[in-house]
Amino acid sequence: MSDESPKLRILLLGSGGREHALAWKLAQSPLVERMFVAPGNGGTPNVNKAENISISAEDFNGLRDFAVKNEVNLVVPGPEQPLVDGVETVFRKVGIPVFGPSAKAARMEGSKAFSKDFMARHSIPTASFRTFPSSDYADAVKYVETCGYRVVLKASGLAAGKGVLIPETTEEAKRGLKEIMVDSIFGQAGSEVVIEEYLEGPEISVLAFSDGYTIVPLPAAQDHKRIGEGDTGPNTGGMGAYAPAPVATPEIMTKLMKECLQPTIDGMRKEGYPFVGLLFTGFMLTSNGPRVLEYNVRFGDPETEALMLLLDEKSDLAAIMLACVERRLDSVNISIRPGFAVSVILASAGYPGSYAKGKQISVGQLPEGDSTILCTWIHNDTKCPF
């Protein structure tokens, strides 16, 4: 972006902690003039240069009209649903670039069956698997009875992070198949089911910027899925994350790049749907080497809250995003501050089950940061009382 170029006016879609963290980091860029967060949360209006707008992240026509009227020149979708539903095409048609993949590329998250077939075509290490439409329930049951390994059951479509069952026994697996394929507990997301080999080992998340050619990973993160101490209790959307994950050694990160990440970007481009945006890949570090668990086509939550703290002051997030959409990611600097970052989630009592909503949250004084410690509050789906 040259000195003569207009400043960035960004439309950021979403209302979670991820979007607040992105707004916080984007506001530090001298390239950014203004940010509109749709719909935002109780914390995003307090970010320098940012304001909330009352338009749903799924109201594409409303978002497009607002963007044109307000001279938006970069759109940053936070959640996966708008990307899977084709928000990139909507803005591309009016000449506004989107930091995020096309609907075709977003199938890597929107359909687990599609992504597993992609991995098989490109020899990307992953668990053994078979895919069944819900009409083939009997064949799916026969497969879990005869495959010879413990299985994981995954609804192929988007299920808000809840479409995975991990049965302990074959009988549990058969009951799980009935719930997904016959009882439709995950709705349309379960119209196709991926049955895959259960893998063991540490799990890590790798978020990486890509312009369709180059891919640059951020430090690997690990999140806490279960609600209780010591990895106990029901799964949540993530109770926090930390990065870099010590298990992701330099040797492992090099292996991931060579065997998984770069082949993914190359394969998507060669198949006609290059990936532009942030590719979030889940890995299991097994005794036989890293295996891809799944792809996500956007920033992860709660990983983003920790990772934004690790981007140092030389790393201009807006410049990185702009370089991705202009297919020149290799022209920008992405540097990481030393040390570690942690995000901790405060949730209403009862979560992830039914819980009270609308409670007032009072926040005290944060510890003063210095050259070695940086602290900030991030809101997730909160509302301002004024």
Side-chain angles (χ1 to χ4, degrees):
M1 192 172 193
S2 67
D3 293 337
E4 294 77 26
S5 299
K7 295 290 188 180
L8 286 175
R9 295 172 64 83
I10 296 175
L11 177 58
L12 176 59
L13 310 183
S15 62
R18 164 183 50 210
E19 288 75 36
H20 191 177
L22 291 173
W24 173 81
K25 186 61 181 176
L26 285 167
Q28 298 168 25
S29 169
L31 301 178
V32 175
E33 177 183 271
R34 195 71 187 151
M35 277 185 291
F36 306 100
V37 192
N41 60 41
T44 44
N46 299 319
V47 175
N48 184 32
K49 307 177 185 178
E51 65 177 274
N52 287 355
I53 61 171
S54 298
I55 304 176
S56 165
E58 297 174 1
D59 180 2
F60 292 177
N61 291 336
L63 292 167
R64 178 201 60 210
D65 294 346
F66 176 90
V68 171
K69 180 180 178 180
N70 289 272
E71 300 181 323
V72 165
N73 49 12
L74 181 65
V75 177
V76 181
E80 64 275 13
Q81 193 69 57
L83 290 164
V84 171
D85 290 343
V87 73
E88 186 271 343
T89 302
V90 171
F91 286 100
R92 177 158 40 86
K93 286 181 176 179
V94 293
I96 302 175
V98 175
F99 178 78
S102 66
K104 283 187 176 182
R107 290 178 296 177
M108 296 293 271
E109 179 168 1
S111 170
K112 291 182 176 65
F114 177 87
S115 66
K116 292 290 285 190
D117 287 341
F118 173 91
M119 288 183 250
R121 287 195 302 275
H122 294 276
S123 302
I124 294 168
T126 189
S128 300
F129 74 99
R130 281 280 305 276
T131 301
F132 297 88
S134 56
S135 57
D136 288 352
Y137 168 66
D139 290 340
V141 170
K142 183 176 181 180
Y143 180 74
V144 300
E145 290 175 334
T146 59
C147 65
Y149 50 73
R150 184 182 170 189
V151 299
V152 176
L153 311 178
K154 296 183 177 182
S156 179
L158 294 180
K162 299 180 177 65
V164 177
L165 300 179
I166 307 177
E168 296 282 345
T169 65
T170 299
E171 289 305 312
E172 278 188 28
K174 290 159 65 174
R175 287 196 296 271
L177 286 174
K178 181 177 182 296
E179 291 174 354
I180 299 173
M181 304 177 79
V182 178
D183 302 335
S184 301
I185 62 168
F186 299 128
Q188 186 61 27
S191 61
E192 196 170 23
V193 176
V194 175
I195 303 175
E196 66 177 35
E197 177 188 10
Y198 175 81
L199 300 176
E200 292 188 89
E203 186 175 341
I204 62 171
S205 300
V206 178
L207 280 63
F209 294 102
S210 180
D211 62 0
Y213 295 86
T214 302
I215 183 165
V216 180
L218 294 171
Q222 288 186 300
D223 70 339
H224 304 283
K225 287 292 186 189
R226 295 184 182 273
I227 190 73
E229 293 292 333
D231 202 31
T232 59
N235 275 344
T236 70
M239 293 309 298
Y242 62 92
V247 294
T249 62
E251 292 77 17
I252 285 177
M253 293 300 289
T254 299
K255 191 176 182 67
L256 297 182
M257 273 291 292
K258 181 180 179 181
E259 297 183 359
C260 305
L261 296 181
Q262 193 65 57
T264 296
I265 295 303
D266 292 343
M268 294 181 73
R269 185 180 66 255
K270 290 172 183 177
E271 292 195 6
Y273 42 94
F275 186 91
V276 174
L278 193 288
L279 184 67
F280 164 15
T281 309
F283 291 96
M284 187 73 79
L285 305 182
T286 76
S287 58
N288 295 317
R291 298 290 185 268
V292 173
L293 293 175
E294 64 178 3
Y295 295 111
N296 298 286
V297 297
R298 37 68 194 184
F299 285 94
D301 197 344
E303 293 88 353
T304 300
E305 291 88 316
L307 290 169
M308 289 302 100
L309 294 171
L310 286 177
L311 284 176
D312 76 10
E313 50 279 354
K314 298 175 187 174
S315 295
D316 185 325
L317 181 59
I320 295 167
M321 290 180 170
L322 194 64
C324 287
V325 301
E326 294 179 350
R327 310 299 196 273
R328 53 174 184 82
L329 180 57
D330 58 356
S331 71
V332 296
N333 175 70
I334 302 178
S335 55
I336 304 298
R337 69 172 70 240
F340 296 84
V342 177
S343 64
V344 179
I345 306 297
L346 305 180
S348 189
Y351 176 81
S354 59
Y355 59 93
K357 299 178 177 66
K359 287 188 173 182
Q360 183 173 333
I361 302 170
S362 299
V363 178
Q365 186 66 35
L366 278 175
E368 289 293 328
D370 57 26
S371 61
T372 60
I373 299 175
L374 177 62
C375 297
T376 188
W377 284 106
I378 298 294
H379 290 238
N380 190 339
D381 287 310
T382 58
K383 294 181 179 179
C384 278
F386 46 83

